[in-house]
mmCIF file of all heavy atoms in Angstrom:
data_model
loop_
_atom_site.group_PDB
_atom_site.id
_atom_site.type_symbol
_atom_site.label_atom_id
_atom_site.label_comp_id
_atom_site.label_asym_id
_atom_site.label_seq_id
_atom_site.Cartn_x
_atom_site.Cartn_y
_atom_site.Cartn_z
ATOM 1 N N TYR A 74 -8.052 8.599 0.210
ATOM 2 C CA TYR A 74 -8.451 9.938 -0.219
ATOM 3 C C TYR A 74 -9.164 9.915 -1.565
ATOM 4 O O TYR A 74 -9.653 10.931 -2.025
ATOM 5 C CB TYR A 74 -7.225 10.858 -0.303
ATOM 6 C CG TYR A 74 -6.654 11.220 1.054
ATOM 7 C CD1 TYR A 74 -5.836 10.324 1.741
ATOM 8 C CD2 TYR A 74 -6.947 12.448 1.636
ATOM 9 C CE1 TYR A 74 -5.319 10.649 2.983
ATOM 10 C CE2 TYR A 74 -6.435 12.780 2.877
ATOM 11 C CZ TYR A 74 -5.624 11.876 3.549
ATOM 12 O OH TYR A 74 -5.120 12.196 4.777
ATOM 13 N N GLU A 75 -9.190 8.749 -2.176
ATOM 14 C CA GLU A 75 -9.847 8.635 -3.481
ATOM 15 C C GLU A 75 -11.344 8.903 -3.344
ATOM 16 O O GLU A 75 -11.901 8.866 -2.254
ATOM 17 C CB GLU A 75 -9.663 7.215 -4.045
ATOM 18 C CG GLU A 75 -8.230 6.851 -4.347
ATOM 19 C CD GLU A 75 -7.729 7.513 -5.612
ATOM 20 O OE1 GLU A 75 -8.531 7.669 -6.550
ATOM 21 O OE2 GLU A 75 -6.546 7.896 -5.644
ATOM 22 N N ASN A 76 -11.964 9.139 -4.473
ATOM 23 C CA ASN A 76 -13.406 9.207 -4.520
ATOM 24 C C ASN A 76 -13.973 7.886 -3.994
ATOM 25 O O ASN A 76 -13.357 6.842 -4.168
ATOM 26 C CB ASN A 76 -13.828 9.412 -5.979
ATOM 27 C CG ASN A 76 -14.922 10.452 -6.108
ATOM 28 O OD1 ASN A 76 -15.168 11.212 -5.173
ATOM 29 N ND2 ASN A 76 -15.564 10.473 -7.235
ATOM 30 N N GLY A 77 -15.135 7.916 -3.343
ATOM 31 C CA GLY A 77 -15.732 6.690 -2.847
ATOM 32 C C GLY A 77 -15.936 5.669 -3.958
ATOM 33 O O GLY A 77 -16.056 6.027 -5.122
ATOM 34 N N GLY A 78 -15.953 4.379 -3.557
ATOM 35 C CA GLY A 78 -16.220 3.346 -4.546
ATOM 36 C C GLY A 78 -15.000 2.578 -5.004
ATOM 37 O O GLY A 78 -15.027 1.916 -6.034
ATOM 38 N N VAL A 79 -13.901 2.652 -4.236
ATOM 39 C CA VAL A 79 -12.732 1.828 -4.534
ATOM 40 C C VAL A 79 -12.387 0.986 -3.310
ATOM 41 O O VAL A 79 -12.829 1.267 -2.207
ATOM 42 C CB VAL A 79 -11.505 2.670 -4.958
ATOM 43 C CG1 VAL A 79 -11.806 3.491 -6.198
ATOM 44 C CG2 VAL A 79 -11.047 3.557 -3.820
ATOM 45 N N ALA A 80 -11.581 -0.038 -3.519
ATOM 46 C CA ALA A 80 -11.161 -0.912 -2.428
ATOM 47 C C ALA A 80 -9.846 -0.400 -1.853
ATOM 48 O O ALA A 80 -8.965 0.055 -2.581
ATOM 49 C CB ALA A 80 -10.989 -2.336 -2.936
ATOM 50 N N TYR A 81 -9.718 -0.461 -0.542
ATOM 51 C CA TYR A 81 -8.468 -0.121 0.131
ATOM 52 C C TYR A 81 -8.018 -1.375 0.874
ATOM 53 O O TYR A 81 -8.658 -1.810 1.817
ATOM 54 C CB TYR A 81 -8.684 1.052 1.096
ATOM 55 C CG TYR A 81 -7.520 1.356 2.013
ATOM 56 C CD1 TYR A 81 -6.212 1.372 1.537
ATOM 57 C CD2 TYR A 81 -7.729 1.646 3.361
ATOM 58 C CE1 TYR A 81 -5.148 1.665 2.376
ATOM 59 C CE2 TYR A 81 -6.674 1.947 4.207
ATOM 60 C CZ TYR A 81 -5.384 1.959 3.709
ATOM 61 O OH TYR A 81 -4.333 2.244 4.557
ATOM 62 N N VAL A 82 -6.948 -1.975 0.406
ATOM 63 C CA VAL A 82 -6.452 -3.203 1.013
ATOM 64 C C VAL A 82 -5.112 -2.906 1.669
ATOM 65 O O VAL A 82 -4.234 -2.277 1.085
ATOM 66 C CB VAL A 82 -6.269 -4.316 -0.035
ATOM 67 C CG1 VAL A 82 -5.757 -5.585 0.636
ATOM 68 C CG2 VAL A 82 -7.572 -4.567 -0.760
ATOM 69 N N TYR A 83 -4.975 -3.373 2.887
ATOM 70 C CA TYR A 83 -3.818 -3.023 3.710
ATOM 71 C C TYR A 83 -3.286 -4.277 4.392
ATOM 72 O O TYR A 83 -4.054 -5.137 4.830
ATOM 73 C CB TYR A 83 -4.271 -1.963 4.727
ATOM 74 C CG TYR A 83 -3.481 -1.890 5.994
ATOM 75 C CD1 TYR A 83 -2.149 -1.505 5.990
ATOM 76 C CD2 TYR A 83 -4.088 -2.216 7.197
ATOM 77 C CE1 TYR A 83 -1.430 -1.418 7.158
ATOM 78 C CE2 TYR A 83 -3.379 -2.131 8.383
ATOM 79 C CZ TYR A 83 -2.050 -1.723 8.356
ATOM 80 O OH TYR A 83 -1.342 -1.639 9.520
ATOM 81 N N LEU A 84 -1.982 -4.411 4.409
ATOM 82 C CA LEU A 84 -1.352 -5.581 5.032
ATOM 83 C C LEU A 84 -1.052 -5.275 6.490
ATOM 84 O O LEU A 84 -0.325 -4.342 6.801
ATOM 85 C CB LEU A 84 -0.062 -5.927 4.298
ATOM 86 C CG LEU A 84 0.670 -7.159 4.818
ATOM 87 C CD1 LEU A 84 -0.179 -8.407 4.624
ATOM 88 C CD2 LEU A 84 2.016 -7.313 4.130
ATOM 89 N N CYS A 85 -1.607 -6.062 7.386
ATOM 90 C CA CYS A 85 -1.459 -5.818 8.811
ATOM 91 C C CYS A 85 -0.687 -6.961 9.470
ATOM 92 O O CYS A 85 -0.836 -8.113 9.099
ATOM 93 C CB CYS A 85 -2.843 -5.724 9.460
ATOM 94 S SG CYS A 85 -2.798 -5.278 11.196
ATOM 95 N N TYR A 86 0.151 -6.616 10.432
ATOM 96 C CA TYR A 86 0.958 -7.606 11.144
ATOM 97 C C TYR A 86 1.782 -8.457 10.186
ATOM 98 O O TYR A 86 2.145 -9.588 10.505
ATOM 99 C CB TYR A 86 0.092 -8.502 12.030
ATOM 100 C CG TYR A 86 -0.567 -7.758 13.153
ATOM 101 C CD1 TYR A 86 -1.887 -7.362 13.082
ATOM 102 C CD2 TYR A 86 0.161 -7.415 14.289
ATOM 103 C CE1 TYR A 86 -2.489 -6.663 14.111
ATOM 104 C CE2 TYR A 86 -0.437 -6.708 15.319
ATOM 105 C CZ TYR A 86 -1.755 -6.343 15.229
ATOM 106 O OH TYR A 86 -2.336 -5.641 16.245
ATOM 107 N N GLY A 87 2.045 -7.914 9.033
ATOM 108 C CA GLY A 87 2.914 -8.602 8.092
ATOM 109 C C GLY A 87 2.333 -9.852 7.466
ATOM 110 O O GLY A 87 3.020 -10.527 6.712
ATOM 111 N N MET A 88 1.070 -10.166 7.737
ATOM 112 C CA MET A 88 0.543 -11.428 7.212
ATOM 113 C C MET A 88 -0.953 -11.430 6.907
ATOM 114 O O MET A 88 -1.445 -12.384 6.335
ATOM 115 C CB MET A 88 0.840 -12.558 8.177
ATOM 116 C CG MET A 88 0.220 -12.342 9.516
ATOM 117 S SD MET A 88 0.748 -13.572 10.709
ATOM 118 C CE MET A 88 2.367 -12.921 11.126
ATOM 119 N N HIS A 89 -1.652 -10.386 7.286
ATOM 120 C CA HIS A 89 -3.093 -10.404 7.050
ATOM 121 C C HIS A 89 -3.520 -9.220 6.194
ATOM 122 O O HIS A 89 -3.124 -8.095 6.459
ATOM 123 C CB HIS A 89 -3.853 -10.358 8.373
ATOM 124 C CG HIS A 89 -3.557 -11.528 9.240
ATOM 125 N ND1 HIS A 89 -3.919 -12.807 8.891
ATOM 126 C CD2 HIS A 89 -2.905 -11.632 10.406
ATOM 127 C CE1 HIS A 89 -3.510 -13.631 9.833
ATOM 128 N NE2 HIS A 89 -2.884 -12.956 10.759
#
Side-chain angles (χ1 to χ4, degrees):
Chain A
Y74 289 79
E75 296 284 325
N76 223 15
V79 300
Y81 171 44
V82 180
Y83 155 65
L84 182 64
C85 185
Y86 295 100
M88 60 187 79
H89 299 294

